[in-house]
Structures are given as structure tokens and as C-alpha cells.
Amino acid sequence: MVNPFPFSNTNKRYYTLDYFYKEKFGKKVAKIPINAGFTCPNKDGTKGIGGCIYCSKSGSGDFAGNPKLDVVEQFMEVKQMMDAKWKDSLYIGYFQANTNTYAKTVVLKQKYEPILALDGVVGLSIATRCDAIDDECLDYLEDLHKRTYLTVELGLQTIHEKTSQMIHRGHTLEEFERMVKKLRERNISVVVHIINGLPYETEEMMMDTIKYLAKLDIQGVKIHMLHIVKNTLLADIYQKKPFPLLTKNEYIHIVCQQLEYLPQNIVLHRLTGDPVSEDLIAPIWTLKKIDVLNGIDKYQAKNNSYQGKRLEISTQ
């Protein structure tokens, strides 16, 4: 069967980040994860204590660099491993762990600028929260956007207020919407994180979240499966009163349905997560990332499913 999805040079029926980078930069681009030592307003008492209930001790930066090293040392250490996989790559500095705009602008510059000055670096990707970007930071982000390829990654996870409160997200959907608008007014690319399988959310609720994103002016989406990891409040909750978790097949089905509602110009930066095996409590199937991605490919091919399909049907 011919692949009906236009932005692909493989069997993928969705807009992969690898394809986007190769079209934009003409070669392989590797994201180098960095832990810049930031904290989070949802951890230090500004918005909450302890963070979101699923957040790992590394602040969702389990594969970022060693925060005891400066950012350039971290970058070079991870880059060496990347170079063993991909020769002659370009690089994007990925500030991943915790909330990477949660500091005064002068501190942000001390973290970001040394990475931008490195050979082969073509951009920055900055993971943060919608409630941790002030106007001075926005001005600096706009300046970065004019000088390099910049994406700002905003965690949303769900549009449902009841779930958001249960997971201690610490901000509202209205705050998220306002920040997306402010970033886009400055032409800064926005990538949004969501989580499938949050406690007691139904498939319909997960679909509602993706349908909401489909109507926003965003440039990318990251879809994660909920991981229950050790030493988190979520782990305590699950061990005391286990709640239903998605099976691998259920997750694959939901992701493929979500992709059908996403506009074809939105880049999929991730379709599943990378748990640390020794920290993972459940679901164990998430350790086999390649199996999940292959399952998505097979489901889409079998069902002639692809990103944006539902939107095409609705306009016919």
C-alpha cells in the first residue's frame, strides 16, 4: 500500500522529528539532553511542593547530563555518545530536566549561550512550564529565536481540570493558552507534551486533549505513556490502590486515533517515553520502545490510518 502521508520518506505515516530536521537542515540532527540544575515552581513552594505526582527525582530528565558538570561538559559528554551512532550530525541543545526558564534572565543566558557557541549547534529546545516565563524571559526567547532555531516545550499533559488537580499540575488551562499565544505572537515554535493513561482518564478524555491541541497554533506534540516510577507520589498512590493502566495494544490504538485528528503540519517529537528500567514500577511494556513504535506502524498500515486522516474526511 502506498503511504498516503506526504511528509515522509519512510514507512512512517506521521510527521517525524527526524524527517523535519533533515528537510530543514539537510542532514541528521541530534538533540543533546542537558540538566542545567534548575528547579521548578511546583517543587520549591511557589506553586507546590514535590512537583507533579509522576515526576521523577531527575525532573523528567532521566537521560539528561550530569548536573554536577557545567552545561558544556555535559553537552560534550553526551555528544560523544551520539557521535558513535551518527557521524557528521548537527546538534540541538535540549534543556530537559525540570523547568528551564525558571531563573532570572541573566542566569538563563549563562546556561544557553555557551551551548549556542559550540560548533555544529543549530538550535535550542527548552522544556518549561507555562507559568514560568515572565516578560523579560519572553524578550530573551524572542531574541534567541531571531538568532537560532528555537523551540519551547510546554508541559500540558491533559486538558481536564479534575485530572490536572489530581496530578498536582499546578497551573490552569487558561494559563497554558495565554502562554501559547504570547510565544506565537513572537513567532516562537511551541511543542506541547501530553500524557496518555493518566489515572481514571477514559479514551474519550484522551481524545478530547488531542482534539483541543489540533485547534491550537502549535508546531509540535510529544505523546507520552504514563510511567509509574519509584520514589514518586504516584508510586505511593498506585501501590496503595492500583488503578487501571493501559495495555500496549490499548496505547497503540489510542495514539493512532489521536494522530488522525492532528493537522499534518504538526511534527510528532515523541510517541512514547523512555523509562529508566531500574526505576520503573509499571507498565513494564513501556521498556520496549521499539515494539511500541513498530506496533504503531503496523496498526496504521493495517487500518490505512495516518496523521490528519479525520481532518481530510471532515473537509470532503
Side-chain angles (χ1 to χ4, degrees):
M1 182 182 295
V2 176
N3 186 351
F5 187 71
F7 304 120
S8 178
N9 56 3
T10 64
N11 67 324
K12 303 296 184 184
R13 291 168 169 246
Y14 54 90
Y15 200 165
T16 69
L17 183 60
D18 185 65
Y19 179 85
F20 171 79
Y21 282 156
K22 286 177 178 175
E23 289 293 302
K24 183 173 182 63
F25 297 106
K27 60 166 60 177
K28 175 71 180 182
V29 176
K31 289 179 74 173
I32 308 293
I34 298 166
N35 186 333
F38 295 110
T39 183
C40 174
N42 204 21
K43 287 183 174 181
D44 69 0
T46 303
K47 282 292 189 77
I49 299 292
C52 301
I53 64 173
Y54 50 77
C55 192
S56 66
K57 58 183 179 293
S58 66
S60 298
D62 297 306
F63 297 96
N66 181 354
K68 294 180 181 179
L69 303 176
D70 72 36
V71 292
V72 172
E73 289 177 304
Q74 287 184 50
F75 183 95
M76 299 308 294
E77 191 175 78
V78 179
K79 175 182 177 295
Q80 188 174 16
M81 292 186 289
M82 294 288 192
D83 286 346
K85 295 172 64 176
W86 300 298
K87 303 295 183 184
D88 190 35
S89 296
L90 298 172
Y91 306 97
I92 285 178
Y94 179 24
F95 287 84
Q96 181 183 28
N98 287 304
T99 303
N100 291 278
T101 57
Y102 191 48
K104 293 185 181 298
T105 302
V106 64
V107 176
L108 301 181
K109 291 180 178 179
Q110 291 169 358
K111 303 292 186 179
Y112 301 163
E113 296 296 338
I115 300 300
L116 277 181
L118 296 174
D119 289 342
V121 172
V122 294
L124 297 177
S125 187
I126 299 170
T128 188
R129 292 168 56 94
C130 64
D131 55 355
I133 304 176
D134 60 23
D135 288 343
E136 184 178 356
C137 180
L138 275 170
D139 290 340
Y140 177 47
L141 293 175
E142 184 176 19
D143 172 62
L144 285 173
H145 160 69
K146 293 175 180 177
R147 293 189 281 126
T148 192
Y149 176 69
L150 175 69
T151 57
V152 172
E153 300 190 10
L154 295 178
L156 173 63
Q157 320 316 352
T158 179
I159 65 167
H160 301 287
E161 185 62 27
K162 185 176 180 179
T163 307
S164 187
Q165 291 179 1
M166 181 184 63
I167 64 176
H168 298 176
R169 186 63 200 157
H171 66 73
T172 65
L173 187 60
E174 288 74 21
E175 287 177 289
F176 169 81
E177 285 184 5
R178 285 197 297 270
M179 185 49 62
V180 170
K181 183 178 180 180
K182 286 181 178 181
L183 290 165
R184 292 305 299 139
E185 285 173 347
R186 298 169 187 248
N187 294 316
I188 297 168
S189 294
V190 175
V191 176
V192 180
H193 294 224
I194 64 169
I195 298 176
N196 285 335
L198 288 168
Y200 308 110
E201 285 211 345
T202 64
E203 178 178 340
E204 182 180 7
M205 293 170 74
M206 296 176 229
M207 295 303 301
D208 287 342
T209 293
I210 209 74
K211 290 176 184 178
Y212 165 82
L213 293 185
K215 296 176 181 178
L216 291 184
D217 178 16
I218 60 174
Q219 289 60 58
V221 170
K222 281 189 173 181
I223 303 176
H224 301 259
M225 171 59 197
L226 180 70
H227 298 151
I228 301 174
V229 298
K230 297 175 183 176
N231 302 313
T232 63
L233 181 56
L234 181 62
D236 293 340
I237 294 169
Y238 183 74
Q239 289 170 333
K240 290 176 183 176
K241 187 180 179 182
F243 51 84
L245 297 174
L246 297 177
T247 67
K248 181 175 73 171
N249 286 339
E250 287 171 337
Y251 182 78
I252 288 170
H253 166 78
I254 289 169
V255 168
C256 291
Q257 293 303 303
Q258 288 174 323
L259 291 178
E260 291 192 2
Y261 284 96
L262 274 184
Q264 294 188 343
N265 64 338
I266 291 180
V267 179
L268 274 300
H269 288 235
R270 181 181 290 276
L271 290 183
T272 186
D274 292 295
V276 177
S277 58
E278 56 265 32
D279 291 338
L280 182 68
I281 295 173
I284 299 302
W285 60 260
T286 59
L287 291 171
K288 297 182 178 180
K289 179 179 179 179
I290 298 301
D291 284 355
V292 177
L293 295 177
N294 287 343
I296 289 169
D297 293 341
K298 292 175 182 177
Y299 180 103
Q300 288 188 310
K302 180 180 179 180
N303 296 281
N304 193 29
S305 176
Y306 52 90
Q307 183 179 339
K309 180 179 180 179
R310 299 276 184 169
L311 303 180
E312 289 182 350
I313 293 172
S314 67
T315 59
Q316 291 176 357

